[in-house]
Amino acid sequence: MQYKSIAVDGPSGAGKSTMAKRLAAALGYLYVDTGAIYRTLGLYALRSGAAPTDPSAVTALLPQVSIRMDYADDGLQHMYLGDEDVTEAIRKPEVSVAASQVSAIPAVRDFLLDMQRDMARRNNVIMDGRDIGTVVLPNADVKIFLTATPEDRARRRLAELLERGNEVDFDTVLADIIARDERDTKRSAAPLRQAEDALLVDTTGNSLEESFDALLRTIRERLE
Ligand code: DC
């Protein structure tokens, strides 16, 4: 059977995961959060004492790291580092930074590519990340590039972090978003960019709710 795939790319805090999760539920597809995979490796680097910015130190960790993705009974994606469920631990702000840093290393991207493609070989997927439409699934059936201004994204990310009990303020979150945008778009290995055939969706000023219905309609049309 030929499975369908939908790629959702865009910068941090654009609402990719909320949107992709809801679209996946509406379509009956598996939601794959690829950022969680980079976050798990970022967490491993931090715990191992390897500087996430040091390509040779991080590359040396790859043969020994065990990263696994699994779906719990509730349908949610869980990440495992060895036997430990790190689904919550990878959401800490310091892990966001480490994930962005390790993701700029070409050997890391090669190492994690197959895990991502394998999910799409075995399921109908809606996959979110930075390079899904350009590198991971260049033949995806539908490609979406979701974006919003840095300020809008920082507001969304701040609400998320506060809800998880993190003590952060708006200016710190905005500075982190701007620094991550810079790193994710300027790196030479699979930088964040809109695929030529991707549909651009700018959610600035809109609630994700408002964008959702229109996007679901468009996706259904394109899938036919
Ligand atoms: O989507 P996220 O914020 O959880 O991703 C964390 C970091 O991982 C992000 O700053 C860039 C990197 N990433 C990537 O380079 N490629 C992907 N497909 C997904 C995430």
Side-chain angles (χ1 to χ4, degrees), residues 76-123:
L76 293 180
Q77 176 180 325
H78 284 247
M79 293 306 304
Y80 294 87
L81 193 50
D83 291 332
E84 182 189 348
D85 186 337
V86 292
T87 310
E88 271 301 310
I90 58 172
R91 297 293 150 192
K92 298 252 179 243
E94 63 272 23
V95 182
S96 303
V97 176
S100 170
Q101 290 168 335
V102 298
S103 75
I105 302 170
V108 164
R109 306 204 71 85
D110 286 348
F111 180 77
L112 298 177
L113 191 56
D114 214 48
M115 188 188 295
Q116 299 168 71
R117 287 191 175 151
D118 192 49
M119 299 304 290
R121 271 194 287 270
R122 295 185 290 115
N123 305 277

Side-chain angles (χ1 to χ4, degrees), residues 54-61 105:
D54 179 346
S56 49
V58 175
T59 304
L61 297 176
I105 302 170

Side-chain angles (χ1 to χ4, degrees), residues 2 25 57 66 81 123 127-128 135 156-157 165 173-174 213 216:
Q2 184 65 40
S66 154
L81 193 50
N123 305 277
M127 193 174 276
D128 84 18
V135 176
R156 225 172 263 147
R157 191 38 62 90
V173 176
L174 179 60
D213 292 333
L216 181 59

Side-chain angles (χ1 to χ4, degrees), residues 93-204:
E94 63 272 23
V95 182
S96 303
V97 176
S100 170
Q101 290 168 335
V102 298
S103 75
I105 302 170
V108 164
R109 306 204 71 85
D110 286 348
F111 180 77
L112 298 177
L113 191 56
D114 214 48
M115 188 188 295
Q116 299 168 71
R117 287 191 175 151
D118 192 49
M119 299 304 290
R121 271 194 287 270
R122 295 185 290 115
N123 305 277
N124 288 320
V125 292
I126 179 155
M127 193 174 276
D128 84 18
R130 304 293 187 286
D131 62 338
I132 309 304
T134 52
V135 176
V136 180
L137 303 175
N139 298 319
D141 298 277
V142 184
K143 298 180 187 177
I144 297 156
F145 194 84
L146 198 66
T147 191
T149 59
E151 289 74 16
D152 244 52
R153 292 186 280 123
R155 268 190 288 278
R156 225 172 263 147
R157 191 38 62 90
L158 178 68
E160 239 172 65
L161 289 169
L162 291 176
E163 203 179 295
R164 286 177 196 275
N166 292 284
E167 281 187 25
V168 278
D169 59 74
F170 179 78
D171 290 344
T172 311
V173 176
L174 179 60
D176 173 57
I177 289 244
I178 291 171
R180 277 218 279 160
D181 281 359
E182 173 85 8
R183 251 194 319 269
D184 295 347
T185 54
K186 301 270 165 68
R187 69 183 180 217
S188 56
L192 169 66
R193 67 176 175 81
Q194 183 182 345
E196 276 170 22
D197 49 350
L199 182 72
L200 177 66
V201 180
D202 188 331
T203 62
T204 305

